[in-house]
Amino acid sequence: MINLTKKIGVFAGLFLLLCAPRWAAAQIQRDTTHWNDEELYQDEDKSLPSFFSVGGGILGAYFIPDLSSFNTNVAQPFVGKDYRNEVWMVGGQGFITIPWVKNLRVGGMGYSGTSVDCGCTTDTITKDSISVNRYLTYSVGYAALTIDYVLPLRTGRFHIVPGIALGYGAVNIYARQAANRLDFNIGNEFGGGVPDNVYTTHTYTSNFFLYMPQLQFEYSPVGYLMFRLTAAYQGTSMGTWTVDNGLSLGSTDGLSGVKGSGMILSLGAFLGLFQ
């Protein structure tokens, strides 16, 4: 009997020893006033931060058009020289980040510029026994809607912004032939008393649809100021060429290769809210 009692006591002791950890754990109350362990070991959020901006500013650009057709069919016959593929442009832009799509920004922009070469501004040629001056420029301008997606880096100050501009504009070729007058006479200004076509000015115009993919690099040293460097391709789908505010030119094969397309590099400075 005593042996049986000892055996029961031993089994009871072993049972209590096995159950003690569970019983002790059940008695410990969870401390909700401190961080939970699982919260300390959560994976770090590696997604890009959100970005908001609203502002506007000025733009300056260096446009590189292909003027080979312009030189062959216009510049060489008219002023006897080739123009460099260079156009300096100025413009402006305003934009705002929309709240419905993270980091999506829309805005509007405008640009205009004229070729760095402008014909024979000092030299003269002989036309119908009269010395005349010829002047020629190539210019381009447009307005566009901009759609950008901001890729903010974790520095908070530097952003990479791919985007596209879609708009409408025109290429203008301005050609002038004139001479110094001895005195003013309105009749002589339009051919009376002088040979025909000595004093004449024409503007040739072709409108275009603009599509411009661009990659922008933006830096905000402070929350209200932002600087931008942009590399883009200015693509244009040209329309019909006309002269002097919409008059028909008939066949325009000589102008069919003159476009507003080419690479463009720009710098901008903006004021607003950038965060």
Side-chain angles (χ1 to χ4, degrees), residues 240-261:
T240 302
W241 283 93
T242 60
V243 62
D244 298 338
N245 295 320
L247 298 179
S248 175
L249 273 173
S251 176
T252 56
D253 293 341
L255 295 174
S256 61
V258 181
K259 300 181 179 181
S261 302

Side-chain angles (χ1 to χ4, degrees), residues 33-200:
T33 64
H34 296 81
W35 292 101
N36 296 324
D37 289 346
E38 59 269 23
E39 294 174 346
L40 296 177
Y41 296 99
Q42 286 182 349
D43 291 337
E44 181 183 356
D45 183 8
K46 297 182 179 179
S47 63
L48 289 174
S50 61
F51 175 80
F52 175 80
S53 65
V54 57
I58 59 173
L59 300 166
Y62 178 68
F63 174 44
I64 310 172
D66 180 6
L67 296 182
S68 57
S69 180
F70 171 82
N71 286 329
T72 300
N73 298 310
V74 181
Q76 280 290 348
F78 191 64
V79 295
K81 63 178 291 185
D82 286 339
Y83 280 38
R84 291 168 289 176
N85 299 324
E86 298 178 52
V87 174
W88 291 101
M89 304 183 72
V90 295
Q93 182 182 9
F95 50 78
I96 186 171
T97 302
I98 64 174
W100 307 283
V101 182
K102 181 179 178 180
N103 298 340
L104 185 65
R105 190 174 71 189
V106 298
M109 64 180 291
Y111 262 124
S112 65
T114 302
S115 56
V116 296
D117 295 308
C118 55
C120 304
T121 56
T122 57
D123 297 336
T124 59
I125 64 171
T126 300
K127 172 73 174 177
D128 294 330
S129 301
I130 298 176
S131 294
V132 297
N133 171 269
R134 284 182 171 178
Y135 180 85
L136 177 70
T137 59
Y138 164 99
S139 62
V140 59
Y142 52 83
L145 168 72
T146 60
I147 304 172
D148 303 322
Y149 187 80
V150 183
L151 301 175
L153 302 183
R154 296 191 180 278
T155 62
R157 297 179 181 272
F158 180 73
H159 309 119
I160 299 175
V161 187
I164 189 169
L166 302 172
Y168 189 75
V171 170
N172 290 300
I173 298 173
Y174 175 79
R176 183 204 68 201
Q177 178 176 278
N180 293 322
R181 280 72 151 173
L182 296 177
D183 54 37
F184 172 73
N185 184 303
I186 188 65
N188 290 343
E189 294 294 304
F190 294 91
V194 298
D196 292 341
N197 299 323
V198 169
Y199 307 145
T200 184

